[in-house]
Amino acid sequence: MFLNSRITGTVVAGGVAAGSALWWWRGSQEGSELHLGSSGGSSTGGGIGRGLKLLSAHVVFRHGARTPIRPWLPELMQPGEATIDWANTVPAEEDRDARIPVYIRDVSVDGAEPVPLRWGKSTWRISSKVPGHPSGELTELGFRQAVELGHTLRERYMIQHGLVSEVYSPKEVYVRTTSINRTKQTAQGVLTGMFGAHKPAERVVLSTIPWEKEVIVGNSRICQSYRQLASHVEVSIRGQSVANERQRVMEALGIPAEKMHFVYLYDVLATRKAHDLPLPLGIVPELLDDIEVGAVLCFDDSYLGKNKIPTLKLSCGVMLHTLLTNLKSDEEDQPTLLLFSMHDSLISPLLAAVGPRDKTWPPFCVDVSFELYQDKDDDKFVKVSSGDKDILVDGCSAIYCPLEEFVSSMERFAVDAEHQRALCNDSAYQKPESAEARKAMTYL
């Protein structure tokens, strides 16, 4: 068991500590005690022209481009389209020499040894409807996007701010990923883009937790209340908020009402568009915009609702609790750059928590950064950005938000894993579950 009682975001099941808390190394050897903390980083350069020094950065990003989660409406395919072999777009094992070697540690198991990340066909989801379709797998394009994000983070945090060194060090960089292949591989791509010019002197370890224990994202497998949110998907799709978009899409594509599902349709179209594959006949840019708006509205109606506080606690509450705990801590000797390789199902709630978001779906490899600064009077500020766009957080008086204001705004959504577990079992969230709800929660 972990010794430090300050570890938060922990679920105890069967006597094994598991969870999504931020896990730190204490000491220089692998397998030593882990603890949670933040701030205290040093900046040797950069600066932003305001006398502010960057202390630390949490960067949460979506995985790179992937194959579709599931095939959808085969009658809309172009002639011969069913023969497209998505498997050929998945990065080959032979390309591994271009990647920084990384190791995966299951932090839910005390003393677990890191194991090498190996690439290959996933057995997690394989579609039975389209032969050769590895469902939800990172593609060559997705890996290139991850490397490009790594280049961006290198420029921002290594060159501009001097937050981390040119050579990877676990004392400076912490990486957390879900256990899904595409997020682990995306994390490897980001690290390759950041540190690929210099061979790491130490093993690069990604911390993860098995999906059946994961709480850093909304997880229908272990959270009944989160699963029940999917029961609202069908209501949203049939509802007035997307009535106009729904009618235009059905008429243009000839989709029967019983097969109209904005989220699934947009997923297929977005993955095809990202890979320059042909779109079904009738999909013009304006219609694709309607489908994206419909998907976002359905997601927001289902997973945010009129009162977003309870649902955000389920979908991103543990991530926010981890973030706030780190930002408020004065502990020293800990990583200054924290990378989280995640899914759109975490990015969307995070953006909803910090303020009103636009009606666009989070693109592949988009990042949301939470940067902690300090001025000459030792006052601290948080700046939130997504891509190259700074965000004025709800409840904050400026882009560079005083730490107290940021904490006050975000703590209403933040929960530790124990509190989240109680919400997951709260019958007030739960309604009879439909077959469509069970299908919807397989979407990730």
Side-chain angles (χ1 to χ4, degrees):
M1 298 293 288
F2 298 111
L3 302 179
N4 196 318
S5 62
R6 293 186 66 255
I7 292 178
T8 57
T10 303
V11 176
V12 178
V16 176
S20 67
L22 186 52
W23 305 88
W24 298 115
W25 289 112
R26 182 190 294 269
S28 59
Q29 296 184 349
E30 292 180 306
S32 54
E33 183 187 349
L34 302 171
H35 76 289
L36 177 66
S38 101
S39 87
S42 62
S43 176
T44 59
I48 56 173
R50 296 181 39 143
L52 295 178
K53 174 176 141 182
L54 181 62
L55 299 180
S56 67
H58 295 65
V59 183
V60 186
F61 50 87
R62 188 187 179 194
H63 55 75
R66 54 159 171 73
T67 59
I69 293 296
R70 58 165 59 81
W72 201 82
L73 291 183
E75 57 265 32
L76 294 182
M77 293 180 179
Q78 302 277 16
E81 184 179 337
T83 62
I84 291 176
D85 186 2
W86 276 99
N88 290 335
T89 69
V90 177
E93 179 66 21
E94 303 85 68
D95 299 331
R96 63 186 181 276
D97 291 340
R99 313 168 194 150
I100 282 185
V102 299
Y103 294 77
I104 306 296
R105 173 186 281 109
D106 179 358
V107 296
S108 71
V109 178
D110 192 10
E113 280 296 311
V115 297
L117 173 61
R118 302 191 184 280
W119 288 56
K121 286 190 175 181
S122 171
T123 57
W124 188 59
R125 287 194 186 120
I126 297 295
S127 169
S128 60
K129 297 182 179 180
V130 180
H133 171 79
S135 181
E137 288 295 298
L138 193 74
T139 62
E140 290 181 6
L141 170 64
F143 190 78
R144 291 198 304 270
Q145 290 173 332
V147 173
E148 285 301 314
L149 177 58
H151 291 162
T152 299
L153 299 182
R154 173 186 172 86
E155 174 68 28
R156 186 189 307 168
Y157 297 120
M158 190 181 298
I159 297 175
Q160 180 182 351
H161 288 287
L163 189 67
V164 295
S165 307
E166 291 189 354
V167 179
Y168 166 85
S169 169
K171 294 180 179 180
E172 295 180 332
V173 181
Y174 167 86
V175 188
R176 173 72 157 86
T177 174
T178 67
S179 62
I180 307 303
N181 277 356
R182 57 184 176 271
T183 57
K184 294 185 290 187
Q185 294 160 349
T186 296
Q188 184 180 33
V190 169
L191 292 168
T192 298
M194 289 193 72
F195 301 103
H198 301 275
K199 184 178 180 180
E202 303 179 64
R203 284 202 291 187
V204 180
V205 178
L206 314 182
S207 296
T208 191
I209 287 174
W211 192 250
E212 60 271 15
K213 301 176 183 177
E214 185 63 89
V215 295
I216 202 168
V217 298
N219 187 350
S220 62
R221 186 173 297 185
I222 62 174
C223 183
Q224 181 67 11
S225 296
Y226 185 80
R227 186 181 185 91
Q228 290 296 327
L229 296 176
S231 64
H232 299 292
V233 171
E234 281 299 294
V235 176
S236 298
I237 291 171
R238 307 286 184 258
Q240 290 301 310
S241 63
V242 293
N244 293 335
E245 291 85 358
R246 182 170 179 267
Q247 190 62 35
R248 285 196 293 268
V249 172
M250 290 174 56
E251 291 177 356
L253 300 182
I255 298 176
E258 66 273 12
K259 290 188 176 183
M260 183 62 214
H261 198 298
F262 276 113
V263 175
Y264 299 157
L265 179 57
Y266 180 71
D267 179 62
V268 171
L269 297 178
T271 54
R272 298 185 65 81
K273 184 179 179 183
H275 294 88
D276 291 326
L277 293 173
L279 299 178
L281 296 174
I283 298 292
V284 295
E286 295 79 9
L287 193 64
L288 187 58
D289 290 343
D290 280 343
I291 295 170
E292 181 177 17
V293 169
V296 171
L297 289 173
C298 288
F299 183 93
D300 287 359
D301 286 351
S302 302
Y303 297 99
L304 301 181
K306 295 180 180 179
N307 182 4
K308 66 181 183 180
I309 293 179
T311 50
L312 287 180
K313 286 181 177 180
L314 292 173
S315 55
C316 65
V318 175
M319 179 71 236
L320 288 172
H321 174 79
T322 298
L323 171 67
L324 296 182
T325 302
N326 295 338
L327 294 177
K328 293 185 293 183
S329 173
D330 291 322
E331 290 190 32
E332 299 180 355
D333 261 346
Q334 45 210 316
T336 49
L337 179 61
L338 302 93
L339 305 176
F340 297 82
S341 185
M342 297 289 150
H343 305 267
D344 50 4
S345 56
L346 179 60
I347 298 293
S348 290
L350 281 179
L351 291 174
V354 298
R357 69 188 189 97
D358 56 21
K359 301 305 178 186
T360 58
W361 199 270
F364 295 121
C365 257
V366 68
D367 68 288
V368 181
S369 63
F370 301 84
E371 298 174 345
L372 180 66
Y373 292 87
Q374 182 174 309
D375 67 11
K376 58 183 176 58
D377 297 320
D378 293 334
D379 292 324
K380 293 180 180 179
F381 303 84
V382 178
K383 181 165 76 79
V384 181
S385 306
S386 181
D388 58 0
K389 179 183 178 182
D390 294 336
I391 298 173
L392 179 59
V393 176
D394 280 350
C396 286
S397 55
I399 292 292
Y400 289 89
C401 181
L403 177 59
E404 296 78 10
E405 289 183 8
F406 181 79
V407 171
S408 177
S409 177
M410 292 296 104
E411 62 186 358
R412 56 189 168 148
F413 306 123
V415 292
D416 61 21
E418 184 177 356
H419 185 189
Q420 189 200 59
R421 181 172 55 181
L423 294 177
C424 286
N425 296 322
D426 189 342
S427 60
Y429 282 81
Q430 299 171 14
K431 298 178 181 180
E433 185 177 8
S434 66
E436 184 60 33
R438 289 191 294 273
K439 286 173 55 181
M441 289 314 299
T442 65
Y443 179 81
L444 182 62

